[in-house]
Amino acid sequence: MNKMLQCLPFNWIQEIVNLAAEWIVVVDRDGKVLYMNESYCKFVDRDPDEVIGMDVQDVIENSRMHFVAKNRAG
């Protein structure tokens, strides 16, 4: 990881990721949502706290992330 990035306070990094215009979602190997930024939550019309722990295919229509997560998790 970039040394400059390591020096930033965690809450700064969290705010940067959360406010990014790009859609960001993190799922575990079972396809459960671990994190979804505000931009993505607005797109899927969900509250950020609501999506945590949900199956990704229940949040993102036609998602195949659960298959990718299972196949990529070594």
Side-chain angles (χ1 to χ4, degrees), residues 1-63:
M1 184 182 294
N2 182 305
K3 288 186 184 216
M4 288 178 61
L5 188 58
Q6 289 177 342
C7 295
L8 289 176
F10 177 74
N11 61 329
W12 285 22
I13 296 169
Q14 190 174 25
E15 191 69 13
I16 291 166
V17 169
N18 202 37
L19 295 176
E22 289 80 15
W23 300 337
I24 300 171
V25 63
V26 178
V27 299
D28 67 10
R29 66 175 51 168
D30 296 319
K32 302 285 187 191
V33 176
L34 300 176
Y35 173 82
M36 183 178 282
N37 73 343
E38 286 184 22
S39 295
Y40 216 150
C41 286
K42 286 179 185 175
F43 176 73
V44 296
D45 196 30
R46 300 277 190 145
D47 183 78
D49 293 329
E50 174 189 5
V51 298
I52 304 303
M54 290 181 68
D55 289 328
V56 70
Q57 64 267 27
D58 292 337
V59 179
I60 303 170
E61 189 176 330
N62 298 319
S63 175

